[in-house]
Every structure is written in C-alpha cells, then in structure tokens.
Amino acid sequence: MLGTVLHAPGDIRCDKVEDPTIQKPTDAVIKLSASCVCGSDLWPYRGLQPVKGPQHMGHEYCGVVVEVGSEVKTIRPGQFVVGSFVISDNTCPHCRNGFQSSCEHREFMTGAQAPYARIPLADGTLVATGTIPSDDLIPSLLAASDVLGTGWYAADAARVRPGCTAVVVGDGAVGLMGVLAAKQLGAERIIAMSRHKARQELALEYGATDIVTGRGDAGVAQMKELTAGVGADSVLECVGTQESMMQAINCARPGGSIGFVGVPHGVELDGQMLFFQQKNLLGGPAPVRRFLPHLIDLIMSRRINPGKVFDLEVPLADVAQGYKAMDQRSAIKTLLRM
Amino acid sequence: MLGTVLHAPGDIRCDKVEDPTIQKPTDAVIKLSASCVCGSDLWPYRGLQPVKGPQHMGHEYCGVVVEVGSEVKTIRPGQFVVGSFVISDNTCPHCRNGFQSSCEHREFMTGAQAPYARIPLADGTLVATGTIPSDDLIPSLLAASDVLGTGWYAADAARVRPGCTAVVVGDGAVGLMGVLAAKQLGAERIIAMSRHKARQELALEYGATDIVTGRGDAGVAQMKELTAGVGADSVLECVGTQESMMQAINCARPGGSIGFVGVPHGVELDGQMLFFQQKNLLGGPAPVRRFLPHLIDLIMSRRINPGKVFDLEVPLADVAQGYKAMDQRSAIKTLLRM
C-alpha cells in the first residue's frame, strides 16, 4: 500500500510501504476512515528532532476493524473503532490509575498516515463505537484519537472545575481543543491566547470568553488585568517552548494548576522558581484511553464538534502539501482522506 | 531584650536587640512561650545563603498576646496564640484560596528566637487556642507554627488520601512531621527514607510502616521493590537538593504527586523529563495558616504529639549550641526556652 514516509527534514512523501498484518496474537488491523497530521509531526519535519532513516508517519486513526489476532477478546472485525496514539494494555496498575499513556507495555503508535494500520494490544487500546458513525462524524472521531484527547487531558491536568477561570496558551489544534474541553468541564471564563484571526474565531466558537493577543510578559500582564491581578485557576500549556511554559506558569494564581501537553523542547525549570510560584504542574503524553468512551459519546450524540479543527483536507497522495500548510501555519490541522 | 543574631556563617549569638513594639495598628506583640531553630536557619548558618549584615533570627513561635494595635479586631491580650511563619492577611484572594503563604501582603516572620516578638497582620496571622494550654503542650503548639504545618502541607500537596502509599524523602524534622501528617491523612503505607537510627525510630512511632536506607537510585530501587515496581501515590520531598528532588520524582508512580517543601538549592528540572515522568508537582512555603485550626485542635485534644521532634532543649542564651547540634545532625530539632 501507499503510506506517508518522512525521509529527512522537509522531505515527506507518499511511498510504497508494507501492508500491515497481524504480528502478535493481541494485534488488530484496521482500515482507516481518515488520518491526519499532528503538530508533533512537525518537530522532525522541521528538523527540530532527529530523523534517523525513513519514518512511516502518523499516530491518529479511526476506522473499521478488518482482522484481529487469536488473543483479541473484545474487539471484532466490522466494528468501528477509535484508539489512542499511545498503545496500552489498559490493565496494568498505571492504566488502572488512569495513566494509560504510562502503561507498563506502552508503545507509541506510528504508521497511521496510510489506508491500513496494525494496532498492537487491540483490546486495551481501541474503543468501539456502538454503531457505525455517519461520514460527517469521522473528523470528530479522528480528533478524539489524539488532538481532542490531548486538549482534554490538558484541561483535566489543569484541574478545570465548574466556575473556574482557565487560560489556554497556544492556538494550535491542541489549544483549540483545550478551549472546547475547558468549556465542557464547566470553566466560567476561558481566556485564549492567540493572535491569528481564524484561530481566535474558532476559539470563540468553542467557548473562549476572552482573547489575549500579547505573548510572554505582555500576554501575562493582559491576562492578569482580566482577572483583577489574581491569575487563573487553570492554565493549559499547549506549545512546549521555554517562553510558553513560563507564560503558563506566570498566568496561574498561587495554588492554581498548569496542565502541560506541548512536548517540551529545550525547557529548563529552576527549582526555587517553581517553589515560590507555588503552582501545580502536571504534563505528559495524554492518557487518551481514559477519556475515549466519554469523548466518543459526546461526539456520537453531536454535543461537541471537534472535527471543525480540520481546516484543510487533502488526499493521502498530497500529504506533503498537508505538512507544508501546517508548517507555514496557513492550516490549523490537515485531514488526510484515504 | 536578648535575642538570637546571626552575624556571619557559623557565628550565631544571643545579643542585645530592640524590644518589639506596636509599629502598625494591625500588629500584635506576644511573649513567647518557646521558640526553636529551623532547618532553613541552617542555610545561612552554613554559608549556603548570603548573610548581609547581622540578622535577628527565628520564625517559629507561640505564646501569650501582650499588646495589640488599634485596628486588631479578633486577637486580644491574654490569649494564647500560634501563628504561621508567613505573615498573611487571610482575606486576599490567595488566602481565600488556601494559599496564605502567597498572600498579597505576605511577609516572612523573623526575630522570633527571642522572649518577645512583633507579629504583623495579627488578625490574619494568629490563631488563638480556646484555653491556655498546659506546659507540656507548648512544644507541640510551637511545632504547628512551621515544622508540623510544613510537613502537613507536603502531605496535602502530595495528595495523601486514605489507603494510599506515601514516601517521605528526608528524615529531618519536617520529614518526620510529614510521616505524622501522612498517617493522620490516612495513608496505608508510609515508607520513610532514613539511615539514622534515632530518626527511623521516631518515624516508626509517627506511623511509618517501612524504612528505606538507600539514597538516590539505590533508594528508589528499594522503594520500588516494596511497591511491586509501581511507585508511590504520594511523595513528600523534605530536603531541597537535586538528588532528593529526583529521588522524589522517581519514587512516584505515573499520575502520582510530589509535594516538595525543602527549599530547593541548585535544583534544575528538565521539561521533557517532567513531561514523560507524568507526575504532579506542587511545592512552596507552606500555607500553615490554612491548617492551623485543625492542627491546634489535634494537639489540644492530644491526638498527635509533634513536640517529640524536639530532642534538644537549651536556654536562649545557649542558642549557639542549639544551632551546632542541628548542623552536625546530633539533634533533630532544638527547642529554645526563654
């Protein structure tokens, strides 16, 4: 089959790759209904993360099960499934504690920018929808696989509670999903930090009550003004740079919480600064599996529409165009049609 | 009057200092029943923190109110009071959120290793006991002012819950109070990291169920063995070095929580390490004021005996001996009698 392969920074192609097959008795093979490009795919694409040889890209997926291994018990061919970008057994102590992204048998999904994919630990990783969803729900279900689940985790880790004030640092797809999650979790005030008109509009549609356009200290000052100098109860950090991390920490009130989901690149935090800031910090790869049943339910009942975050659709063959648009920030997130 | 003055690293004396007086209408002056030496006093004593000129030391205190300013409304002369080592108004938004140690009018107490002390913002900072306590309760009430309140905050920040597994890194007075707090908050298993016999014994008396003697990676490995490789739900970090902080982080399970109360000295944390560790971090100067009413109640009803942490008592005149014993770790904590 044809799949997406990153050969070197900037060099992404739709190439011939091996057809996925059952390799372990706990595997499933699925036919993807759609796939997409993640903000984290841009790190190696931009050369900010090493590329050691050709990589079969893609970790966001949903689709129909075509085959399962002999030990797969709950997932069956013909089901429509959504899975996390982190493979997990969903039975180990960390999974039972709700941190499936630190599963003792964790693997990071790859090779999902393709028509078919092998999913290890299928019973633990995949969640089946009750019925086959209609086509217009595919983008939203695909979003649940990572970008929505990650934004949701940011809000959860930032302890968004009914009535609270939340700030979202980062107006990429994850940040916008963070706005949606904060709204669903009951935040009364949601301050989105963005200076791109199209993204501001989507943030407002997803539930943002205020937009702050400043960055760094200027952004913090604008945000503080909106909260009578107190700071936010919850801050969702959805970028991963030193500047964005400090912006997030400085936006929270003492005792407030920062959920950080932007993979940190070059971030160093001074212990004494963290001590005197006195703020909760929790980050990491999102345990999407924990949230999937609820997210699927919200999508299938059309209470949320995370699929709107895809503002560019290209056929898989044109994947290079999809990466380029996201790299240049002319697209928020690219959906790949099979 | 005579009070404790640090002139230079290692040079601590009982010197003549000014008698405290009401300087602002929100002040109170108290006659101390006892004072003590804090682990944090050892940082400047050891030259690990700059000493700019003579410092009147001491921030832990309890005693009888002798005078109040014209605006003090709830505190009255004759009352026995305990106060936090952090002065707070207890009315600002941060105080109302339970983070009095980040009060908008925060001051750090000083000058309490003396027979009398001025307490700013008396209404916000001080809590009166219902009755005058008997003499044998004085050490415990004094402990509530900082060391107990700080150990309690470590357990609170580490989210100790009934039935959980807690680890305490550090066997100083704060660590031992952390053991006591974890026990009171319902931890089922409390693993104390200590290699000093006397401290191990006090830890066991306060509720530790296991002792780990290894440090650094060896300590983490021993601790992991006790928890079937999973790690602890809650870790109380009560030291403040790079090694102890990493030990604490490595002891927690994914999704677990670290409450860090040892003032970090030379600690740097890598963002990507924190991300993939996926653990809650909350530290800071303890908001003792939040816990004081409950702690005073536990002490007055003799349900806890934190005063046992004082294993050396000297008259104020011999304060140098008290510092030396703690510096050399021959005493856990020194009580100063007036």
Side-chain angles (χ1 to χ4, degrees), chain A residues 93-94 97 99 101-102 153 159 230 253-255 261 264 267-272 275 278-285, chain B residues 93-94 97 99 101-102 153 159 230 253-255 261 264 267-272 275 278-285:
Chain A
H94 305 327
N97 282 321
F99 284 83
S101 46
S102 287
Y153 173 58
R159 294 183 182 77
V230 175
R253 64 165 174 81
V261 296
V267 175
E268 282 286 332
L269 300 174
D270 176 70
Q272 206 160 105
F275 182 87
Q278 194 157 46
K279 290 156 189 179
N280 293 281
L281 267 192
L282 174 62
Chain B
H94 305 327
N97 282 320
F99 284 83
S101 46
S102 286
Y153 173 58
R159 296 182 181 80
V230 175
R253 65 164 174 81
V261 296
V267 175
E268 281 287 332
L269 299 174
D270 176 69
Q272 207 161 102
F275 182 86
Q278 192 157 49
K279 291 157 189 180
N280 292 281
L281 267 190
L282 174 61

Side-chain angles (χ1 to χ4, degrees), chain B residues 36-45 57-60 113 323:
Chain B
C36 55
V37 182
C38 181
S40 68
D41 294 333
L42 298 182
W43 290 109
Y45 177 79
M57 301 293 286
H59 53 262
E60 297 164 279
Q113 289 166 1
Y323 271 73

